[in-house]
Amino acid sequence: CLLGANSLKKMIMKKEIRYILLIAFVFYPFIHVTHSAFKPVELRKRNLKRIQYVLETTDPNDIVYDPYLLFNVFFKNDVDFYWMINGGLKTGYLPNAYYYIKTKKPKVIALYDTRIDPKNPLIQKFYSESQKYRTIYYLSHKYLINTIIIRYWLKSHNNDCLPLIDTMSPSSLDFDAVKKVGERFYLDKDYRRAIYWLRHALMKKPIDRICAKEYFHALISEGLEEKAETFKKNLEQLNQMTIGPFVFEKGDSLEAIDFGRSTFKKGKTIATELYLNILDRSDINLAHTAFISFEKDGNFYFGKDFPLNRVVRFGEIYKTKGVIQVPQKLPSGKYDAYFTFRIPLTDYRYKIMGSSKRKQFLGSVKIE
C-alpha cells in the first residue's frame, strides 16, 4: 500500500497524467449513464416488435399466456389465468400455470425467462416454436384446426364434418376433446364411432368413470358382449374408487384413489392405489409426497406418505400403490380419510384451488 501510494503521488505530480485522469473521471460516468439510458429504449423497441407480431397472428378473443405483460393487455382471456410471480412482478395469481395451459390451451405462450419449461411434454406435444421469435410458442396448426372442427361439429351437429373427424388421430388431441367426441357419438347412438373414441379416451385416462360406462354400454349395443364382459371388471373397480379430480394450488391433482373396501381391522393393512396428475415432472423431488391421513373427531391418528418419485405412467396420468398400516392400539369406529400433497415433517404443501382448505376429504372408513 505504501509503495502504491508513493507511485500514485509521483504520477499525479505530472501534468500529462492529471489530464488523462481528469478525462477518465469525466467520460467514464458519461458513457455509463448514456448506456443505461438507451438500453431500456432498445429493449422497448424489441418488445414492441414482439407485440406487433403477436397481434398480427392472433384474434382479440384468443387466450394468451404472457407473464411479462408485453401483449396480454390487448386480450380479454388472459389475466385471470396467466399472470405469474416473476422478476419482482407479484400478483395474487397462481405461481404455476401448467394446469391452465393444459385445460385452457392458450393459443400463444411467451416463455421468455419464465418457469415454464419448453421441454415439458405438455408444451412439446401441443405447441411449436415460432420461426421468428424463439421465446414465443404457438398451438400446433394440426391441433388448432382439429379442435375448431370438433367445436363446430359439437355445436352445430353438422354431419358434413364426420369425414374430417374420421381422419383425425385421437392421440394428437387432449383427453377432454376425445371424451367429448366419444360422448357425442354415444348420444347419437353411433356406437361404432363411440367405441373408437371412448377407447382412446380411456387410453389417456383409464379411470374416467363416465367414459367407462358409456364404452361398456356401447359394446353391448354393438353386440360385443364378450368384450363388454371382459371390461366389466374394470367398471366394477372404478365404481369402488373415489373419483376426482381434486385439483391443488400448484395444478397437480388427485384423479382417483382406491382403498378396495371401506371396513378394516386393527393391526392389518389398507392396500391403496393412487392415481395422480403431476403436471411438471421436473418439479418432483424426494421431499414432496402424496399424503393420506386418517382422523377421528378432528384428531390425526395414522397415515402414510407416498413418494412422488416412485409413480409410474398410467395413460396420461400417473399411478402408485402401497399399503397403509392400521395401528393395533386404536379406538374402534369411523375415521375420515384426507389427502394432500405435502413436504413431510414441515406442513401441508398446497391448497385446493378455489378453497381455503389445505386437504381434500375422501370419505369415511370403519376400523373394527
Side-chain angles (χ1 to χ4, degrees):
C1 290
L2 289 172
L3 291 172
N6 185 53
S7 301
L8 182 63
K9 180 182 177 182
K10 289 182 178 179
M11 290 172 61
I12 293 174
M13 294 300 291
K14 295 180 181 180
K15 187 184 295 184
E16 295 84 359
I17 298 295
R18 288 204 298 270
Y19 283 131
I20 292 173
L21 291 174
L22 180 62
I23 291 170
F25 283 133
V26 171
F27 278 93
Y28 177 75
F30 176 75
I31 293 170
H32 178 72
V33 170
T34 304
H35 177 72
S36 301
F38 282 97
K39 187 178 179 181
V41 175
E42 292 299 318
L43 180 61
R44 289 191 186 98
K45 285 182 179 179
R46 290 198 298 269
N47 288 341
L48 285 171
K49 290 180 180 179
R50 289 172 57 184
I51 292 170
Q52 187 65 31
Y53 172 68
V54 172
L55 289 175
E56 289 174 352
T57 54
T58 54
D59 295 323
N61 289 325
D62 286 333
I63 299 177
V64 299
Y65 161 63
D66 171 27
Y68 277 87
L69 321 182
L70 296 179
F71 51 78
N72 68 352
V73 293
F74 299 99
F75 294 81
K76 297 178 181 177
N77 304 321
D78 56 338
V79 178
D80 288 343
F81 307 112
Y82 305 121
W83 283 10
M84 295 170 63
I85 301 172
N86 260 303
L89 172 65
K90 296 182 178 180
T91 73
Y93 298 101
L94 301 177
N96 193 308
Y98 282 114
Y99 173 73
Y100 291 106
I101 290 175
K102 181 175 182 178
T103 54
K104 299 294 182 181
K105 292 292 188 305
K107 186 176 181 179
V108 183
I109 301 177
L111 301 187
Y112 174 72
D113 198 23
T114 70
R115 284 175 289 171
I116 301 298
D117 182 7
K119 295 182 180 180
N120 185 282
L122 184 64
I123 306 298
Q124 290 186 329
K125 184 173 182 179
F126 296 111
Y127 288 86
S128 56
E129 189 179 64
S130 167
Q131 295 180 354
K132 192 169 182 179
Y133 295 98
R134 294 177 58 187
T135 58
I136 294 179
Y137 282 70
Y138 282 84
L139 265 178
S140 64
H141 294 298
K142 185 177 181 181
Y143 174 82
L144 194 58
I145 292 170
N146 287 346
T147 51
I148 290 172
I149 293 171
I150 288 173
R151 283 201 300 267
Y152 171 76
W153 173 67
L154 291 172
K155 189 175 181 179
S156 66
H157 305 289
N158 188 344
N159 288 333
D160 292 337
C161 297
L162 291 181
L164 292 172
I165 293 175
D166 288 339
T167 63
M168 294 180 187
S169 171
S171 59
S172 66
L173 297 165
D174 56 63
F175 167 76
D176 291 330
V178 177
K179 178 181 178 180
K180 288 177 182 177
V181 173
E183 289 180 336
R184 170 50 56 190
F185 282 132
Y186 178 79
L187 293 174
D188 293 343
K189 298 184 179 180
D190 189 344
Y191 296 120
R192 181 181 62 83
R193 287 189 173 98
I195 290 170
Y196 175 77
W197 284 86
L198 291 171
R199 177 166 57 84
H200 277 85
L202 289 169
M203 288 169 63
K204 294 175 180 290
K205 190 183 287 189
I207 57 166
D208 191 271
R209 188 179 288 160
I210 295 174
C211 281
K213 287 181 178 179
E214 291 177 348
Y215 180 69
F216 175 74
H217 291 298
L219 289 172
I220 293 176
S221 299
E222 279 290 288
L224 302 173
E225 286 84 1
E226 188 174 340
K227 286 186 176 181
E229 193 62 31
T230 303
F231 185 75
K232 188 176 181 180
K233 293 181 180 179
N234 296 336
L235 189 58
E236 290 173 352
Q237 184 183 6
L238 282 176
N239 290 331
Q240 296 174 357
M241 291 184 184
T242 301
I243 303 290
F246 306 113
V247 182
F248 286 73
E249 184 179 67
K250 187 176 175 295
D252 297 339
S253 62
L254 170 67
E255 296 289 325
I257 185 169
D258 183 16
F259 290 133
R261 57 186 191 276
S262 59
T263 303
F264 305 93
K265 294 185 181 295
K266 300 177 188 178
K268 301 297 182 180
T269 58
I270 302 174
T272 307
E273 291 184 347
L274 291 172
Y275 301 86
L276 306 167
N277 191 356
I278 304 168
L279 297 180
D280 185 9
R281 289 283 292 170
S282 64
D283 195 41
I284 294 176
N285 60 52
L286 296 175
H288 295 181
T289 65
F291 181 59
I292 299 174
S293 61
F294 293 86
E295 303 178 11
K296 183 179 176 66
D297 300 326
N299 297 312
F300 170 81
Y301 277 83
F302 67 102
K304 181 180 176 68
D305 286 292
F306 290 79
L308 296 184
N309 63 320
R310 297 181 186 175
V311 297
V312 296
R313 267 285 179 189
F314 191 68
E316 289 189 351
I317 58 177
Y318 296 91
K319 177 181 178 180
T320 187
K321 61 182 179 180
V323 295
I324 303 173
Q325 184 69 40
V326 181
Q328 182 67 47
K329 296 181 179 180
L330 194 72
S332 300
K334 187 177 74 170
Y335 286 78
D336 294 329
Y338 292 90
F339 174 88
T340 191
F341 292 102
R342 74 163 189 162
I343 297 179
L345 306 180
T346 306
D347 196 0
Y348 292 122
R349 174 70 173 171
Y350 309 126
K351 296 183 298 182
I352 298 171
M353 289 177 54
S355 171
S356 60
K357 295 180 181 178
R358 289 179 174 267
K359 52 191 178 182
Q360 173 65 44
F361 174 67
L362 300 176
S364 299
V365 299
K366 186 178 180 182
I367 305 296
E368 296 180 340

